[in-house]
Amino acid sequence: MIRPTVLLGISLALSGAIGLLGETSQEIPSHPRQLQFEQEQQRLPTVEGRRHELKSGAVVYVVEDHTLPLVEIGLATRAGSYLDPPKKTGLASLTATQLRRGGSRELGPDEFDDRVDDLGALLDSQAGGSRAGARLSVPSWSFSDSLDLFFDMISKPAFNSARLENAHTSYLESLTRRNENPLDIMQREWGWLLYGKTHFTTRPWTPDTLQAIDRDSVINFHREFWKPERMILAVSGDVTTSTLLELLEARFSAWPSSSGSPAARWPPEPPGPGVPPGLYHYEFDAPQAKIILGHRLSGLLDWQDNDRFILAVVAEILGGKGAVSRIGGRLRTAEGLVYRVGLDLEPGDFWPGKLEVFFETRSDSVARAIDLTIEEIERLRSEPPHPDELAVAKRTLVARIGLEFDTAEEIAGYFAGDEFLGRPHTYWQSYLDGVQNVTPDQVRQAANKFLVPDRLVYLVVGRWSEISGRSSDGRSSLEESIGFPVSHLPQRDPSTLEALGTVAADENAGNPRSL
């Protein structure tokens, strides 16, 4: 039952809102894009007082937050797959995952799992391309004991032989399914087109590389690359900084010594050249096609280069996830051609970044969808965006970054990420200020400079017999639309990814090309 006082409050609120609407009805714009808002100057948290370097050389960022009795620790170290020997691809990843799954010197794997559960903790470890890491999430009342487990895991792993063998078996079985998902195929083939097959970001796991990784390989990799002086920690939550630092100093001081091993190379090596511009196709029997098109950018931008901030605005206007997305609005909303669409335009961290546009559509709509995508890229290259459109894009980016620094865990994580990449801590405030100062003509100039249609590489995954014909509006075939003959990529053995020597596509649709 709703109380009369509640009804009265609702009535008064509605009356006030209606009165306000009546007073301002003459000023309501005809379109949402005409809405005007006062510009707010956002100030992000600063790093002062939050960075601490331990005697071991480890760097710790601490952001206290006593709202809830929880503590979060994220650890990053430069022990990613860029350090994998070519014949042992997967070593960094297998080492990292077995830190958590293989137990410690004091506790076997099952006992370790039980102890983690008893403390109500979440413990995990994994590795990516440039980094490896571990995570601890725990109630503050069991933090000290959980921290002991965390350090047992990262400093004294047992790498249990049975667990390692189970991991080998599981990974080997997963390799046999690598041709089942067209998105997985597209990402694999696209990486090879853009970066080649030997770069650490694209070099595939195979049965041979996995079998070459024995327990000694894992132990030696951990001993050589998981070192305190290479570690960066982000700690947030219900902790007191001084007490936390004492706890960390004590545990790092007990880390087993590994002196004498050479320092690992840093930063990771950039990729070699990719394929020339062109149209590439991988045959996959599915009712819809998946398309990705793009190219690598030329030149790595400095962290404070204004083009970084302008490119963020270019990306938001062209294919953002907010209110402005020219490609999404054209292909999906206006034309109804695509099921999903997305754009990635990144300046890059260690080497020049890339432009990528991805969408899914009916096979007979591929040519039309690509034509419209290129039209939108060319339009932004030749015409500055309307000031209202630019204002919406800028507000979206500013609001998004503000939300990224919304919690103590995020703040600590961003500062730790800065340290890892060598990015100045002032970067994100510079980003906010830079984005807000972008002009329409700067957008056009940056689009003209960095988005180059003549350099585009196109990859289509689907049924070529349906993709290769005239577009759904009858205008042109895909090859005519793009201006390149197709190069068919070979079918691959799922485990080894070696070419099978056959190209499953229309025999009259172009010359096969094996990569």
Side-chain angles (χ1 to χ4, degrees):
M1 178 177 179
I2 300 178
R3 297 192 302 274
T5 53
V6 175
L7 288 173
L8 177 61
I10 294 173
S11 176
L12 289 173
L14 288 174
S15 297
I18 293 171
L20 180 61
L21 185 61
E23 292 172 6
T24 61
S25 60
Q26 299 301 318
E27 302 175 8
I28 296 177
S30 60
H31 193 282
R33 286 183 179 174
Q34 297 174 357
L35 289 168
Q36 298 294 323
F37 300 92
E38 291 185 8
Q39 186 71 39
E40 292 187 9
Q41 286 297 115
Q42 286 205 42
R43 305 309 299 177
L44 298 178
T46 61
V47 74
E48 279 71 24
R50 290 168 167 160
R51 185 188 187 277
H52 310 273
E53 189 166 343
L54 305 181
K55 295 176 183 177
S56 62
V59 175
V60 186
Y61 289 88
V62 188
V63 180
E64 296 186 24
D65 178 9
H66 304 285
T67 307
L68 295 172
L70 295 172
V71 182
E72 305 281 348
I73 294 182
L75 179 151
T77 185
R78 291 166 179 163
S81 61
Y82 79 98
L83 295 170
D84 282 350
K87 294 185 178 180
K88 293 186 178 182
T89 301
L91 177 56
S93 181
L94 203 55
T95 300
T97 56
Q98 290 306 300
L99 288 179
R100 171 62 184 89
R101 298 171 187 171
S104 69
R105 296 177 194 174
E106 282 74 23
L107 298 172
D110 294 331
E111 295 173 289
F112 192 93
D113 292 344
D114 291 341
R115 183 62 176 150
V116 171
D117 291 341
D118 291 343
L119 292 169
L122 292 174
L123 270 174
D124 192 19
S125 57
Q126 58 186 354
S130 62
R131 72 184 70 187
R135 182 174 65 98
L136 169 65
S137 178
V138 64
S140 52
W141 57 78
S142 60
F143 174 61
S144 182
D145 289 341
S146 297
L147 193 62
D148 287 334
L149 276 184
F150 182 78
F151 270 84
D152 281 349
M153 177 182 81
I154 64 175
S155 68
K156 296 180 288 184
F159 294 120
N160 178 268
S161 297
R163 290 276 180 104
L164 184 60
E165 183 59 33
N166 287 341
H168 270 111
T169 301
S170 177
Y171 284 130
L172 286 169
E173 197 278 329
S174 70
L175 299 186
T176 66
R177 301 193 299 271
R178 287 194 288 195
N179 285 341
E180 296 177 2
N181 187 326
L183 282 175
D184 292 341
I185 293 172
M186 186 189 72
Q187 290 168 356
R188 176 187 78 213
E189 301 291 333
W190 178 249
W192 287 352
L193 292 173
L194 226 57
Y195 296 131
K197 296 176 68 172
T198 60
H199 193 243
F200 72 90
T201 58
T202 60
R203 193 166 57 226
W205 297 24
T206 68
D208 287 344
T209 65
L210 275 171
Q211 296 290 5
I213 303 172
D214 56 14
R215 183 170 178 271
D216 285 341
S217 301
V218 171
I219 291 172
N220 291 335
F221 187 91
H222 174 266
R223 183 186 298 119
E224 185 171 357
F225 299 119
W226 280 73
K227 296 181 178 181
E229 65 269 22
R230 298 170 62 83
M231 294 182 174
I232 303 164
L233 291 86
V235 186
S236 60
D238 190 21
V239 294
T240 301
T241 300
S242 58
T243 302
L244 169 72
L245 295 177
E246 290 176 2
L247 292 172
L248 292 176
E249 286 282 19
R251 284 156 179 79
F252 272 117
S253 67
W255 193 287
S257 175
S258 59
S259 60
S261 56
R265 64 184 184 273
W266 184 259
E269 295 178 1
V275 298
L279 170 62
Y280 302 84
H281 164 255
Y282 190 99
E283 183 71 11
F284 189 86
D285 187 16
Q288 65 185 36
K290 302 187 187 303
I291 299 92
I292 189 166
L293 60 94
H295 60 69
R296 288 161 60 170
L297 304 187
S298 55
L300 179 63
L301 299 175
D302 182 79
W303 288 111
Q304 299 292 357
D305 193 314
N306 199 46
D307 277 341
R308 279 187 174 265
F309 316 137
I310 300 172
L311 277 176
V313 179
V314 170
E316 188 65 26
I317 291 174
L318 197 57
K321 298 178 181 178
V324 179
S325 174
R326 288 188 176 185
I327 292 177
R330 185 84 181 274
L331 270 63
R332 182 174 53 207
T333 308
E335 301 283 344
L337 287 175
V338 302
Y339 307 105
R340 283 194 294 172
V341 60
L343 177 141
D344 186 23
L345 176 58
E346 291 293 336
D349 296 333
F350 304 113
W351 52 80
K354 59 187 176 181
L355 162 70
E356 292 178 345
V357 180
F358 160 77
F359 54 85
E360 296 174 297
T361 186
R362 283 184 355 217
S363 297
D364 64 352
S365 298
V366 171
R368 175 65 175 156
I370 288 178
D371 281 346
L372 296 180
T373 299
I374 304 305
E375 280 185 21
E376 291 302 326
I377 293 174
E378 290 285 17
R379 185 160 70 95
L380 196 59
R381 281 164 49 89
S382 60
E383 302 173 7
H386 190 279
D388 291 343
E389 181 184 31
L390 176 60
V392 172
K394 288 158 67 170
R395 283 199 299 270
T396 301
L397 291 170
V398 169
R400 190 177 298 151
I401 288 299
L403 292 174
E404 291 295 316
F405 286 81
D406 200 36
T407 68
E409 183 181 4
E410 289 169 338
I411 294 168
Y414 270 103
F415 288 146
D418 294 338
E419 182 90 25
F420 188 89
L421 294 172
R423 183 174 56 204
H425 291 304
T426 57
Y427 172 77
W428 293 107
Q429 190 62 54
S430 298
Y431 176 96
L432 282 181
D433 298 339
V435 163
Q436 292 179 16
N437 292 326
V438 172
T439 67
D441 203 54
Q442 284 178 323
V443 171
R444 182 195 62 78
Q445 291 172 1
N448 200 59
K449 176 181 178 181
F450 292 101
L451 313 182
V452 188
D454 289 345
R455 294 179 52 203
L456 287 173
V457 176
Y458 304 81
L459 172 63
V460 183
V461 176
R463 298 169 180 159
W464 183 251
S465 61
E466 299 174 5
I467 294 168
S468 60
R470 295 277 165 182
S471 60
S472 54
D473 61 359
R475 293 185 182 180
S476 61
S477 70
L478 181 57
E479 292 174 277
E480 291 170 343
S481 176
I482 292 176
F484 289 109
V486 66
S487 294
H488 294 293
L489 303 174
Q491 299 293 292
R492 305 190 187 279
D493 179 272
S495 291
T496 66
L497 295 184
E498 291 294 325
L500 294 175
T502 60
V503 177
D506 186 344
E507 293 180 354
N508 299 317
N511 296 322
R513 172 176 179 153
S514 177
L515 292 181

